[in-house]
Amino acid sequence: MHSERIEREIAVSYLALSRHPMTDHAVRLATKVGYLLALSVMTLAAALYVPNALAGLVLLGAGCTLLFLTIAIKRIAVRHSREMIVFQKTVAGFVEWDTSPSFTTNADGLVVYRNRAATDRFGASQETLLASFGDILASPSATLRRLQGHAATSGFAREDVVLRRGHLRLSVHKLADSGFLWRLEDIIERSNPGRSAEGISLPMMTISKAGTVLFMNDVMRRILGGREARLDRIINDLPLRPGGVHEVAGVDGPLKALLCAVDGTGGRKEIFLMPADGVASDTAGNWDLFDELPVPLMKVSPDGKILLCNRLARDLLAVDGQPAQYFGDLVEGLGRSVADWLSEAAEPRGVCRTEFVRASRPDRDVFLQVSLTRVSEGNDTNLVVVLNDATKLKTLEAQFVQSQKMQAIGQLAGGVAHDFNNLLTAISGHCDLLLLRHDEGDPDFGDLDQISQNANRAASLVGQLLAFSRKQTLKPELLEIQDTLDDLAHLLNRLVGERVVLSLRHDPDLLPIRADKRQLEQVIMNLVVNARDAMPDGGEVSIQTRLEHLGEAIERDRAVVPAGDYIVISVTDQGCGITKDRLPKIFEPFFTTKRTGEGTGLGLSMAYGIVKQTGGYIFADSVVGSGTNFTLYFPATARVNKVSSGVAADIPKPTHSHTGGVVLLVEDEAPVRAFASRALKMRGYTVLEAENAEDALKTLEDRSLEVDVFVTDVIMPGMDGPSWVAKALQERPGVKVVFVSGYAEESFSQQQARIPNSVFLPKPFSLNELTATVNDQFH
């Protein structure tokens, strides 16, 4: 950052000078001032001796012009020289004490200025940049020409150059028409302070993302017989497999080496090579170097006993010192015996598969990616274990699996709810038709009424499924959460009973939220009922609200809550609590901790679906024996002043009675179609029935047929409701539309918005709801 700041400041400081239109031209003319001066003097002298007066006047004019031109060029050259002196002082002020060598040159590579670091490192005798860099660059002329060409075109160029001992970054800025600022930065020493790769007795190299070797230490150079620039010249069996054995192109022939990789910045990797056969040598290091490596490594016997374990491996496994125990005691979750896995890998023909396990540590969950490699040490065969912290990877995988699981369950719940809504529409509809023919004194009236009531209860249960799948129809409005909870307090007190105390505490500075009031009340009631059931001997249920500002996003329970203002509702009980293994499952449909017959397992799943569909978040914390706390986050909304609507708002909407008219009923479910047809005919409508969209369009081919209202299902085999209606309205633009569906209105709201004069009627609907909706469309 310091080097880039210096380069930017130098470039900015030269901007004014680089705008001079005659900078380079004036320098070239200044070198010819002497010739111009001599020519002007000779012309003036000739004017004095020419006998022809006219010719003398011409020569005199030409001589004076050349003299004035010479003086002007001289003044420009002097001024330019002064500006260059000022500029050199400015550059010196910036880079004189910079620890990286810096040079300024002209277009020909002549050194105009060098700072102290450049003088200390390269001396002051070289006049050109090529001479200064001749001893450190493999091809200095080509490198400098390439960088200067790029800088001349784009204003800046930078390149990482491989050296015999490490590598450096050479950057160049274009300063003016013919000036350049060069700067050298030793990357190894600056990016890894306090650690010298040359002091490591293991072969080590640094490679770029493209496979270029940026650095290799002396041990690696001795193995290879010199320095190589490309990874494919070193490793014979690419691609790299960290933790695996590779063939290295040694100077005395191919070598087998265990490869360990450490990711660095900018896509770089540090590669360490270890002996694959366990034999120590001066060029390959030995097992005692484990603690020096920045890679978690262990050596274990085929039965899993840990023979060596370096510092990073001990940190991952949370063990102190060299653990005199077995690897199987430190990990779990493999799905089979760790000892069997290790013994199979140690067999001559065994497969060393990479596996994921979980460290058996009490403080936190740590997932490990384990790679095994066989090594022979005399007559013994052991295993080198390379550990990689895969906690983030497994967390992301768990989030994805949970998301897919909840989405699949939601789709299943929504589909089941849709089918049930069709059945309930037929059941409750035909029940309504029967009730029209029986009065309260009829012996069958009680049975029919029970059928109707239980159908409504089933519809409520289906509504909970739709709530979880987030496909129910919500009617959001601005709610003052304190007023909503205070109005609900009376009902909540009746729900909790006499043994349980209900307390409400509100933050005085609450903001409104946008939510469906009825559904939000259902969420609170479900949480309070669960809290009551968790305290059979009594206790306190506390509901608290507060305004909370999140300065940054928070992440918990596989969800991310963005920064912003939130209304937080907490429902806390003093019950038995929920065990740690059950807590992640409580929002799944049909999962319940209650005894059989005491709950449906849909209460919390419904709360989850409503909160998520509202744009909020719900989290649960529980301590066994102490109680459970549910925390709900709802985005806060700015308060809007309501405009008084006066008395007119309280005037009920008049109900129109309409007889006659033609209704085209399109419904693929025969029982629903039969009920709806009979209900509409009883109200005096002429009903045309169609089983699907294609039949409906065929019916409308009769131009003499007059249709007033389309009543159509949304989801049908073949063409869906909005599609066929849009096609039909092209020929009959004045027809009104009633869409019916077992799904929520939001699931096709965009399609419905393109259909004029359309309304939505959710299933299951009663006889009166259907006829009233159709009747309203006539008005």
Side-chain angles (χ1 to χ4, degrees):
M1 293 297 293
H2 176 69
S3 63
E4 293 179 358
R5 180 179 61 81
I6 290 176
E7 292 171 357
R8 287 197 302 269
E9 289 176 349
I10 293 173
V12 170
S13 69
Y14 201 86
L15 185 60
L17 182 60
S18 64
R19 291 182 180 142
H20 196 295
M22 296 184 61
T23 301
D24 190 52
H25 183 60
V27 172
R28 290 196 301 270
L29 290 181
T31 60
K32 300 179 181 179
V33 168
Y35 296 103
L36 289 174
L37 182 60
L39 182 60
S40 64
V41 171
M42 291 173 61
T43 304
L44 290 174
L48 297 176
Y49 294 100
V50 172
N52 190 316
L54 181 60
L57 289 175
V58 171
L59 290 174
L60 180 63
C64 292
T65 301
L66 288 173
L67 181 61
F68 284 121
L69 181 60
T70 302
I71 295 172
I73 293 175
K74 179 64 176 178
R75 292 186 63 183
I76 291 174
V78 170
R79 185 173 64 181
H80 176 78
S81 177
R82 290 174 180 173
E83 289 177 345
M84 288 300 295
I85 293 173
V86 172
F87 170 69
Q88 295 292 352
K89 292 181 178 179
T90 303
V91 172
F94 277 115
V95 302
E96 179 66 18
W97 298 102
D98 186 12
T99 57
S100 296
S102 300
F103 299 83
T104 59
T105 66
N106 62 10
D108 298 325
L110 293 175
V111 176
V112 179
Y113 165 80
R114 55 172 60 85
N115 68 352
R116 291 177 180 267
T119 302
D120 294 341
R121 182 164 177 174
F122 300 100
S125 59
Q126 294 89 347
E127 296 183 356
T128 65
L129 201 63
L130 181 63
S132 299
F133 292 170
D135 294 336
I136 63 171
L137 299 180
S139 54
S141 178
T143 301
L144 296 178
R145 189 185 315 111
R146 180 173 62 253
L147 285 173
Q148 184 168 309
H150 291 166
T153 303
S154 59
F156 172 74
R158 175 183 292 171
E159 185 173 316
D160 289 345
V161 183
V162 179
L163 304 178
R164 187 177 67 83
R165 291 180 176 271
H167 68 288
L168 59 79
R169 176 168 295 162
L170 181 59
S171 58
V172 54
H173 284 273
K174 182 182 178 182
L175 297 179
D177 294 341
S178 58
F180 296 91
L181 170 66
W182 300 81
R183 189 169 185 274
L184 285 78
E185 184 177 4
D186 295 305
I187 295 179
I188 291 296
E189 285 74 8
R190 294 178 64 88
S191 62
N192 295 282
R195 190 185 76 118
S196 175
E198 295 292 357
I200 297 178
S201 54
L202 285 176
M204 177 267 180
M205 59 182 169
T206 302
I207 63 173
S208 69
K209 189 175 182 179
T212 302
V213 179
L214 304 176
F215 168 78
M216 60 175 58
N217 64 0
D218 281 335
V219 180
M220 178 67 82
R221 290 194 293 271
R222 289 199 301 270
I223 291 177
L224 302 177
R227 179 164 53 88
E228 296 288 352
R230 297 289 304 175
L231 185 63
D232 55 10
R233 302 286 299 274
I234 302 172
I235 305 297
N236 293 334
D237 51 351
L238 292 175
L240 294 180
R241 301 182 305 277
V245 174
H246 283 272
E247 185 178 87
V248 180
V251 64
D252 297 324
L255 301 172
K256 293 292 185 179
L258 175 67
L259 186 145
C260 302
V262 180
D263 292 332
T265 59
R268 292 183 174 90
K269 289 181 181 292
E270 289 186 352
I271 306 298
F272 297 86
L273 301 182
M274 299 190 61
D277 56 0
V279 179
S281 68
D282 292 337
T283 60
N286 54 63
W287 293 111
D288 294 334
L289 298 171
F290 268 13
D291 262 359
E292 297 182 21
L293 290 177
V295 179
L297 288 174
M298 296 192 305
K299 184 170 72 168
V300 301
S301 62
D303 61 355
K305 185 177 181 180
I306 298 176
L307 305 177
L308 286 174
C309 182
N310 75 348
R311 178 180 54 81
L312 289 183
R314 296 193 298 270
D315 292 343
L316 276 179
L317 298 172
V319 294
D320 298 327
Q322 289 295 339
Q325 50 189 311
Y326 289 84
F327 184 53
D329 298 333
L330 302 178
V331 297
E332 58 187 18
L334 183 62
R336 58 172 176 153
S337 170
V338 175
D340 291 344
W341 170 47
L342 296 177
S343 61
E344 289 179 8
E347 294 294 330
R349 295 188 178 182
V351 180
C352 297
R353 294 188 180 91
T354 298
E355 297 283 359
F356 287 90
V357 297
R358 185 163 65 90
S360 303
R361 49 186 301 171
D363 54 342
R364 60 187 178 94
D365 287 336
V366 175
F367 292 92
L368 304 173
Q369 181 185 16
V370 183
S371 301
L372 303 177
T373 303
R374 284 186 298 274
V375 293
S376 298
E377 298 179 310
N379 296 326
D380 297 330
T381 299
N382 293 317
L383 294 168
V384 175
V385 181
V386 181
L387 306 177
N388 286 309
D389 190 349
T391 304
K392 290 184 178 180
L393 176 64
K394 296 297 288 185
T395 301
L396 289 174
E397 180 185 0
Q399 290 177 357
F400 177 75
V401 170
Q402 179 70 6
S403 174
Q404 293 290 95
K405 177 181 177 182
M406 298 298 277
Q407 182 180 2
I409 295 176
Q411 290 177 346
L412 175 62
V416 170
H418 174 264
D419 293 340
F420 265 101
N421 275 332
N422 282 326
L423 296 174
L424 291 172
T425 301
I427 294 172
S428 60
H430 285 91
C431 186
D432 288 344
L433 293 173
L434 287 172
L435 285 172
L436 291 176
R437 301 197 298 267
H438 295 78
D439 56 26
E440 294 186 5
D442 193 299
D444 295 330
F445 183 85
D447 295 336
L448 294 173
D449 187 55
Q450 282 295 318
I451 294 174
S452 179
Q453 290 183 20
N454 282 280
N456 290 333
R457 289 181 60 191
S460 176
L461 186 63
V462 171
Q464 295 183 19
L465 280 175
L466 283 174
F468 170 75
S469 64
R470 294 182 242 171
K471 293 182 179 179
Q472 64 174 347
T473 300
L474 296 183
K475 298 178 181 178
E477 57 182 307
L478 284 181
L479 299 178
E480 295 287 351
I481 196 64
Q482 180 173 349
D483 296 341
T484 302
L485 293 179
D486 288 343
D487 293 342
L488 190 62
H490 179 69
L491 177 59
L492 294 177
N493 276 309
R494 291 177 57 189
L495 287 174
V496 299
E498 296 180 355
R499 287 189 173 186
V500 177
V501 177
L502 179 69
S503 63
L504 281 76
R505 299 180 182 87
H506 300 293
D507 188 331
D509 300 322
L510 295 177
L511 290 175
I513 65 171
R514 186 169 179 79
D516 185 312
K517 182 177 180 180
R518 181 176 62 87
Q519 298 293 349
L520 178 61
E521 290 175 345
Q522 187 66 52
V523 170
I524 300 300
M525 285 191 292
N526 284 358
L527 296 178
V528 170
V529 167
N530 281 348
R532 177 203 65 189
D533 294 343
M535 300 183 295
D537 298 328
E540 181 183 3
V541 177
S542 173
I543 302 177
Q544 298 184 15
T545 61
R546 68 180 186 275
L547 173 64
E548 183 172 333
H549 174 75
L550 298 180
E552 57 183 16
I554 61 173
E555 181 177 354
R556 61 164 297 184
D557 298 348
R558 300 169 184 165
V560 178
V561 184
D565 292 327
Y566 291 87
I567 298 299
V568 182
I569 305 175
S570 299
V571 180
T572 308
D573 64 57
Q574 300 172 342
C576 55
I578 305 171
T579 58
K580 186 177 180 181
D581 60 324
R582 291 185 172 187
L583 194 60
K585 303 177 182 179
I586 59 175
F587 295 118
E588 297 179 6
F590 308 110
F591 179 83
T592 179
T593 59
K594 300 176 183 178
R595 293 190 295 268
T596 304
E598 292 187 357
T600 63
L602 289 173
L604 288 178
S605 65
M606 184 200 70
Y608 173 85
I610 292 174
V611 171
K612 298 297 285 185
Q613 192 174 0
T614 306
Y617 303 84
I618 181 170
F619 304 107
D621 300 285
S622 187
V623 178
V624 176
S626 298
T628 302
N629 174 65
F630 286 91
T631 306
L632 289 71
Y633 286 82
F634 293 99
T637 306
R639 184 173 281 105
V640 178
N641 294 327
K642 296 182 179 180
V643 180
S644 177
S645 57
V647 181
D650 298 327
I651 299 176
K653 183 179 180 181
T655 303
H656 300 277
S657 178
H658 185 88
T659 58
V662 180
V663 176
L664 176 57
L665 174 63
V666 186
E667 171 62 61
D668 62 308
E669 290 287 338
V672 177
R673 187 172 67 250
F675 150 65
S677 177
R678 288 182 58 188
L680 293 171
K681 288 177 180 178
M682 289 178 60
R683 292 294 188 262
Y685 297 104
T686 300
V687 181
L688 306 174
E689 299 183 28
E691 185 177 357
N692 51 50
E694 290 75 15
D695 290 347
L697 292 173
K698 187 174 182 179
T699 301
L700 294 175
E701 290 178 358
D702 185 357
R703 303 299 182 187
S704 63
L705 186 65
E706 295 290 336
V707 178
D708 300 300
V709 177
F710 297 150
V711 178
T712 177
D713 195 5
V714 175
I715 306 298
M716 295 181 293
M719 191 180 299
D720 61 22
S723 298
W724 84 260
V725 168
K727 189 173 182 179
L729 289 179
Q730 294 176 2
E731 301 293 335
R732 301 170 183 265
V735 180
K736 308 294 180 65
V737 184
V738 176
F739 288 111
V740 297
S741 178
Y743 287 117
E745 184 177 5
E746 284 78 5
S747 61
F748 72 104
S749 58
Q750 292 183 354
Q751 293 172 293
Q752 184 189 353
R754 295 192 289 267
I755 307 298
N757 302 318
S758 64
V759 296
F760 178 77
L761 178 63
K763 295 179 182 179
F765 49 79
S766 65
L767 184 150
N768 290 332
E769 290 172 339
L770 173 63
T771 55
T773 303
V774 173
N775 183 63
D776 289 343
Q777 283 296 82
F778 278 91
H779 304 282

